[in-house]
Amino acid sequence: MTKSYGCDTRIATRLGADYSLVGEVQKVSNANLTINLQMRAAETGEMVKGAVVDIRGNTDETWARGMRSILKNRFFKRELQ
């Protein structure tokens, strides 16, 4: 696994963004992949949100389903109050 050593947050800060979003895909086998997303505060580099999802099958449909799952259930999930 390659480490970026914070280049994502430095770029986000230079662009005036509040956050950076970095994704990583690990291919376990031809049919099993893992998608990992991390949202970090640009100013501090602190992880704000993160999620991992395993997908079965290497198709456009399975990738889209995996990304929808992360975004809907982890990144944009409304918290009950």
Side-chain angles (χ1 to χ4, degrees):
M1 181 183 330
T2 304
K3 300 288 183 186
S4 67
Y5 300 106
C7 66
D8 59 308
T9 55
R10 289 191 301 274
I11 292 168
T13 300
R14 285 187 204 134
L15 293 172
D18 294 327
Y19 303 99
S20 69
L21 183 64
V22 176
E24 174 185 76
V25 176
Q26 295 174 331
K27 185 174 182 180
V28 179
S29 69
N30 287 334
N32 297 322
L33 296 101
T34 300
I35 302 171
N36 179 4
L37 286 181
Q38 291 183 3
M39 179 185 289
R40 300 192 317 155
E43 189 173 310
T44 65
E46 181 180 338
M47 189 168 77
V48 176
K49 290 187 180 187
V52 177
V53 67
D54 293 328
I55 59 173
R56 304 290 183 255
N58 191 2
T59 67
D60 290 346
E61 182 180 340
T62 57
W63 280 77
R65 189 179 313 125
M67 289 302 296
R68 276 194 305 271
S69 174
I70 287 176
L71 295 174
K72 179 181 176 184
N73 297 319
R74 297 297 302 268
F75 278 75
F76 299 110
K77 182 177 181 177
R78 293 184 186 205
E79 300 297 328
L80 298 176
Q81 298 190 19

